[in-house]
């Protein structure tokens, strides 16, 4: 299959029309969102959704998020929910948050992987939204990477993973957030965060009415989000995550003694370490920039250049907590 690379900048609405017509025919198209690129198909069409799983090599027990253009479409797909869900939607949507809700029996069964819930998201990226609006379809879309690889934050990442396997990619520039959406289970008395993202536990706590706060907003460690149990974001070379800065030097010397070429993934200055490194990957100064850069850097770590990458921990403030979560999942070994 020849994958068409459409560009919103170059082709404007023509790119949206082309993508929409492919999606309506049951084809799979990668679209930009503000978090990461998504691999979209009509969520009501089983055959179309199956193509997503084939293209990604994704395990079929891992459900997909359904993307909608507007809240008006919501009641077509989900059962009645508690009032706090409306409050969260008013505060954070469109944007980088996914709500897990009880679903009606109208979506392709492959989307929910047999669960009675569905993850719903309203993306804010203008190009992703334009496709949703023009097609008026509910679009099932996981991140547009090969299963196990870091999520794509640029059209080129999607091309590297999936060219020849999908019908088209719309290039809409680099994703602004850089990490996948916060997934929130909204089926219980209070929200439970299943996957961390830009919208944090503290952000959500501000929205929930005071009388409900006693029930506590939680972030769960259990793999209640089926996808969380799989190995994710794996770079080509082993990644060692070092949580205490004073240990960086020791870990580096041990790797050097093995004759390894060392890459360093850093967010702070460590001038004394640089002489022993073959390559330094700069993650950036602020939490927001670190989130934007992380996946592109994980993809840039190549066997041809380094044998191992040693990463330092980052601030846990705001989206930093989600950056650390992804670093931990990407790591072969964590030094706590
Ligand atoms: O930002 C994002 O969420 C991106 C963009 C493209 O929207 N999408 C994305 O999809 O990251 P994916 O498939 O890579 O991750 C979806 C996560 C998985 O961990 C999956 O297990 C979880 O959401 N999920 C989906 N439906 C669920 C459900 N009904 N219950 C619990 N977890 C669910
Ligand atoms: Mg993914």
């Amino acid at each position: 299959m020849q994958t068409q690379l459409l560009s919103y900048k170059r082709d404007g609405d023509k790119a949206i029309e082309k993508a929409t017509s492919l999606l309506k025919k049951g084809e799979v198209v990668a679209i930009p969102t503000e978090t990461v690129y998504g691999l979209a198909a009509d969520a009501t069409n089983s055959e179309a959704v199956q193509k997503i799983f084939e293209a990604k090599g994704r395990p079929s027990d891992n459900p997909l998020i359904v993307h909608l253009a507007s809240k008006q479409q919501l009641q077509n797909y989900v059962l009645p929910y508690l009032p706090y869900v409306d409050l969260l939607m008013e505060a954070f949507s469109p944007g980088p948050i996914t709500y897990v809700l009880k679903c009606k029996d109208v979506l392709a069964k492959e989307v929910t992987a047999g669960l009675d819930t569905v993850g719903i998201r309203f993306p804010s990226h203008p190009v992703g939204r334009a496709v949703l609006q023009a097609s008026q379809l509910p679009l099932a879309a996981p991140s547009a990477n090969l299963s196990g690889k870091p999520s794509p934050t640029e059209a080129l990442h999607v091309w590297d993973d999936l060219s020849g396997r999908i019908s088209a990619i719309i290039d809409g520039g680099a994703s602004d957030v850089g990490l996948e959406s916060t997934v929130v289970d909204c089926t219980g008395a209070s929200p439970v965060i299943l996957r961390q993202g830009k919208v944090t536990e503290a952000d959500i706590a501000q929205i929930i009415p005071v009388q409900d706060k006693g029930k506590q907003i939680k972030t769960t460690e259990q793999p209640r989000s089926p996808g969380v149990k799989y190995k994710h974001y794996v770079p080509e070379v082993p990644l060692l995550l070092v949580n205490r800065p004073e240990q960086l030097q020791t870990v580096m010397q041990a790797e050097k003694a093995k004759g390894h070429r060392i890459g360093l993934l850093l967010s702070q200055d460590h001038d004394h370490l640089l002489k022993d490194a073959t390559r330094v990957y700069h993650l950036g100064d602020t939490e927001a920039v670190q989130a934007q850069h992380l996946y592109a850097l994980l993809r840039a770590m190549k066997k041809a250049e380094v044998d191992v990458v040693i990463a330092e921990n980052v601030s846990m403030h705001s989206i930093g907590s989600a950056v650390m979560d992804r670093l931990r999942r990407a790591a072969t070994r964590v030094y706590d």
Side-chain angles (χ1 to χ4, degrees):
M1 176 188 307
Q2 179 78 29
T3 301
Q4 293 183 57
L5 187 55
L6 308 167
S7 158
Y8 185 70
K9 215 165 152 190
R10 188 189 58 212
D11 309 326
D13 289 344
K14 287 247 157 51
I16 308 290
E17 281 162 29
K18 182 74 208 171
T20 304
S21 103
L22 288 167
L23 288 164
K24 285 190 169 161
K25 280 189 230 154
E27 295 301 328
V28 168
V29 177
I31 59 169
T33 89
E34 72 280 16
T35 56
V36 299
Y37 275 69
L39 192 57
D42 176 356
T44 61
N45 178 339
S46 274
E47 273 174 43
V49 176
Q50 281 167 28
K51 290 181 191 170
I52 296 179
F53 286 88
E54 278 158 34
K56 277 187 63 107
R58 181 179 175 107
S60 60
D61 66 343
N62 194 1
L64 305 180
I65 293 172
V66 173
H67 300 69
L68 300 178
S70 76
K71 210 177 152 188
Q72 278 121 43
Q73 296 168 299
L74 186 61
Q75 71 270 29
N76 299 336
Y77 307 106
V78 305
L79 296 173
Y81 49 75
L82 290 168
Y84 73 77
V85 179
D86 282 323
L87 299 177
L88 295 178
M89 286 181 182
E90 272 161 40
F92 304 119
S93 294
I97 182 168
T98 297
Y99 309 94
V100 172
L101 299 164
K102 293 268 183 204
C103 62
K104 291 186 176 166
D105 200 11
V106 289
L107 296 165
K109 65 177 189 321
E110 292 82 359
V111 171
T112 56
L115 300 173
D116 62 354
T117 55
V118 63
I120 300 276
R121 185 158 106 76
F122 307 94
S124 64
H125 192 290
V127 177
R129 275 175 72 81
V131 174
L132 285 163
Q133 243 141 21
S135 67
Q136 284 295 305
L137 290 172
L139 293 179
S143 49
N145 50 288
L146 280 176
S147 225
K149 292 247 252 158
S151 296
T153 53
E154 295 171 28
L156 194 62
H157 300 159
V158 183
W159 181 264
D160 286 344
D161 279 12
L162 298 175
S163 69
R165 301 167 76 99
I166 59 175
S167 291
I169 302 168
I170 311 184
D171 185 350
S175 294
D176 190 38
V177 177
L179 299 182
E180 306 84 348
S181 62
T182 307
V183 177
V184 189
D185 182 348
C186 298
T187 60
S190 57
V192 178
I193 296 176
L194 304 181
R195 180 176 71 184
Q196 297 187 59
K198 183 176 181 200
V199 178
T200 62
E201 201 174 286
D203 295 334
I204 290 175
Q206 286 202 321
I207 302 307
I208 301 298
V210 178
Q211 69 269 25
D212 289 350
K213 277 199 179 140
K215 291 177 195 155
Q216 286 280 313
I217 295 118
K218 288 197 291 279
T219 302
T220 178
E221 292 298 321
Q222 256 108 47
R224 279 173 50 188
S225 199
V228 173
K229 71 174 187 268
Y230 294 106
K231 191 75 192 154
H232 277 315
Y233 322 114
V234 187
E236 254 187 49
V237 296
L239 183 84
L240 312 179
L241 175 60
V242 178
N243 278 322
R244 283 184 290 136
E246 65 273 18
Q247 272 203 321
L248 280 168
Q249 182 111 46
T250 327
V251 174
M252 240 183 126
Q253 289 314 322
E255 290 303 315
K256 213 182 145 197
K258 293 179 203 161
H260 285 165
R261 294 164 302 167
I262 299 168
L264 286 175
L265 179 63
L266 300 177
S267 53
Q268 296 179 45
D269 293 332
H270 295 281
D271 292 341
H272 64 293
L273 298 178
L274 303 186
K275 67 175 188 335
D276 287 323
T278 304
R279 176 139 185 211
V280 179
Y281 308 91
H282 291 285
L283 194 54
D285 290 334
T286 64
E287 291 88 4
V289 171
Q290 290 163 5
Q292 280 170 342
H293 287 175
L294 178 66
Y295 289 156
L297 290 178
L298 292 179
R299 282 176 177 266
M301 296 167 181
K302 297 287 183 200
K303 274 186 208 149
E305 242 183 328
V306 293
D307 300 301
V308 64
V309 173
I310 300 171
E312 71 174 331
N313 66 341
V314 297
S315 142
M316 292 285 280
H317 182 67
S318 70
I319 198 172
S321 178
V323 173
M324 274 307 282
D325 168 69
R326 304 311 194 269
L327 270 174
R328 282 183 169 275
R329 290 178 202 284
T332 336
R333 181 157 176 201
V334 182
Y335 295 82
D336 276 312

